[in-house]
Amino acid sequence: AKILGELSFSLRREVAHFLNRDIIRSVPLFKGANARFTDEFISLLRPMQSLPGDEIMSVCERGKEMFILRKGAVLITPIKGHSHTLTDGSFFGEIPMV
């Protein structure tokens, strides 16, 4: 991350695009999106790391972000119903964006 901060904006953008293009293409919401939209979306991505047991968002919380799981697992625990686990390439929190 420190090295990326020393790169020019355009080079940082190219690196981000290279690192994230496959994960973005795997999200059905973005299938068929034009390259300009994809590039802009990738430029808005912010990495986030969570530890086991961290609460990323609450069921009652109004969504403001979309999360794309690059690596690991997230346990989804609804108020009612069965819990399920999301894994690499999964996404959640996208409903407010639609």
mmCIF file with all atom_site columns, all heavy atoms in Angstrom, residues 9 15 24 40 84:
data_model
loop_
_atom_site.group_PDB
_atom_site.id
_atom_site.type_symbol
_atom_site.label_atom_id
_atom_site.label_alt_id
_atom_site.label_comp_id
_atom_site.label_asym_id
_atom_site.label_entity_id
_atom_site.label_seq_id
_atom_site.pdbx_PDB_ins_code
_atom_site.Cartn_x
_atom_site.Cartn_y
_atom_site.Cartn_z
_atom_site.occupancy
_atom_site.B_iso_or_equiv
_atom_site.pdbx_formal_charge
_atom_site.auth_seq_id
_atom_site.auth_comp_id
_atom_site.auth_asym_id
_atom_site.auth_atom_id
_atom_site.pdbx_PDB_model_num
ATOM 1  N N   . PHE A 1 9  ? -1.224  9.044   -10.226 1.00 0.00 ? 9  PHE A N   1
ATOM 2  C CA  . PHE A 1 9  ? -2.640  8.681   -10.197 1.00 0.00 ? 9  PHE A CA  1
ATOM 3  C C   . PHE A 1 9  ? -2.983  7.697   -11.302 1.00 0.00 ? 9  PHE A C   1
ATOM 4  O O   . PHE A 1 9  ? -3.658  6.696   -11.079 1.00 0.00 ? 9  PHE A O   1
ATOM 5  C CB  . PHE A 1 9  ? -3.512  9.936   -10.315 1.00 0.00 ? 9  PHE A CB  1
ATOM 6  C CG  . PHE A 1 9  ? -4.969  9.620   -10.422 1.00 0.00 ? 9  PHE A CG  1
ATOM 7  C CD1 . PHE A 1 9  ? -5.695  9.261   -9.296  1.00 0.00 ? 9  PHE A CD1 1
ATOM 8  C CD2 . PHE A 1 9  ? -5.617  9.659   -11.652 1.00 0.00 ? 9  PHE A CD2 1
ATOM 9  C CE1 . PHE A 1 9  ? -7.048  8.952   -9.394  1.00 0.00 ? 9  PHE A CE1 1
ATOM 10 C CE2 . PHE A 1 9  ? -6.959  9.341   -11.758 1.00 0.00 ? 9  PHE A CE2 1
ATOM 11 C CZ  . PHE A 1 9  ? -7.675  8.992   -10.623 1.00 0.00 ? 9  PHE A CZ  1
ATOM 12 N N   . VAL A 1 15 ? -2.991  -0.147  -11.925 1.00 0.00 ? 15 VAL A N   1
ATOM 13 C CA  . VAL A 1 15 ? -2.726  -1.252  -11.001 1.00 0.00 ? 15 VAL A CA  1
ATOM 14 C C   . VAL A 1 15 ? -4.033  -1.713  -10.366 1.00 0.00 ? 15 VAL A C   1
ATOM 15 O O   . VAL A 1 15 ? -4.313  -2.919  -10.296 1.00 0.00 ? 15 VAL A O   1
ATOM 16 C CB  . VAL A 1 15 ? -1.700  -0.848  -9.921  1.00 0.00 ? 15 VAL A CB  1
ATOM 17 C CG1 . VAL A 1 15 ? -1.608  -1.894  -8.821  1.00 0.00 ? 15 VAL A CG1 1
ATOM 18 C CG2 . VAL A 1 15 ? -0.333  -0.620  -10.551 1.00 0.00 ? 15 VAL A CG2 1
ATOM 19 N N   . ILE A 1 24 ? -14.629 -7.849  -10.329 1.00 0.00 ? 24 ILE A N   1
ATOM 20 C CA  . ILE A 1 24 ? -15.754 -7.025  -10.773 1.00 0.00 ? 24 ILE A CA  1
ATOM 21 C C   . ILE A 1 24 ? -16.546 -7.756  -11.851 1.00 0.00 ? 24 ILE A C   1
ATOM 22 O O   . ILE A 1 24 ? -17.774 -7.758  -11.849 1.00 0.00 ? 24 ILE A O   1
ATOM 23 C CB  . ILE A 1 24 ? -15.267 -5.652  -11.285 1.00 0.00 ? 24 ILE A CB  1
ATOM 24 C CG1 . ILE A 1 24 ? -14.617 -4.860  -10.158 1.00 0.00 ? 24 ILE A CG1 1
ATOM 25 C CG2 . ILE A 1 24 ? -16.403 -4.872  -11.929 1.00 0.00 ? 24 ILE A CG2 1
ATOM 26 C CD1 . ILE A 1 24 ? -15.509 -4.612  -8.969  1.00 0.00 ? 24 ILE A CD1 1
ATOM 27 N N   . GLU A 1 40 ? -14.439 3.422   -13.709 1.00 0.00 ? 40 GLU A N   1
ATOM 28 C CA  . GLU A 1 40 ? -14.851 4.377   -12.671 1.00 0.00 ? 40 GLU A CA  1
ATOM 29 C C   . GLU A 1 40 ? -15.195 3.648   -11.373 1.00 0.00 ? 40 GLU A C   1
ATOM 30 O O   . GLU A 1 40 ? -14.823 4.101   -10.293 1.00 0.00 ? 40 GLU A O   1
ATOM 31 C CB  . GLU A 1 40 ? -16.045 5.218   -13.139 1.00 0.00 ? 40 GLU A CB  1
ATOM 32 C CG  . GLU A 1 40 ? -15.690 6.258   -14.164 1.00 0.00 ? 40 GLU A CG  1
ATOM 33 C CD  . GLU A 1 40 ? -14.674 7.277   -13.658 1.00 0.00 ? 40 GLU A CD  1
ATOM 34 O OE1 . GLU A 1 40 ? -14.784 7.735   -12.501 1.00 0.00 ? 40 GLU A OE1 1
ATOM 35 O OE2 . GLU A 1 40 ? -13.757 7.607   -14.420 1.00 0.00 ? 40 GLU A OE2 1
ATOM 36 N N   . HIS A 1 84 ? -26.132 -18.356 6.572   1.00 0.00 ? 84 HIS A N   1
ATOM 37 C CA  . HIS A 1 84 ? -25.381 -18.949 5.474   1.00 0.00 ? 84 HIS A CA  1
ATOM 38 C C   . HIS A 1 84 ? -24.061 -18.202 5.315   1.00 0.00 ? 84 HIS A C   1
ATOM 39 O O   . HIS A 1 84 ? -23.894 -17.094 5.802   1.00 0.00 ? 84 HIS A O   1
ATOM 40 C CB  . HIS A 1 84 ? -26.188 -18.986 4.174   1.00 0.00 ? 84 HIS A CB  1
ATOM 41 C CG  . HIS A 1 84 ? -26.599 -17.654 3.657   1.00 0.00 ? 84 HIS A CG  1
ATOM 42 N ND1 . HIS A 1 84 ? -27.674 -16.966 4.140   1.00 0.00 ? 84 HIS A ND1 1
ATOM 43 C CD2 . HIS A 1 84 ? -26.068 -16.882 2.680   1.00 0.00 ? 84 HIS A CD2 1
ATOM 44 C CE1 . HIS A 1 84 ? -27.804 -15.838 3.489   1.00 0.00 ? 84 HIS A CE1 1
ATOM 45 N NE2 . HIS A 1 84 ? -26.838 -15.748 2.602   1.00 0.00 ? 84 HIS A NE2 1
#
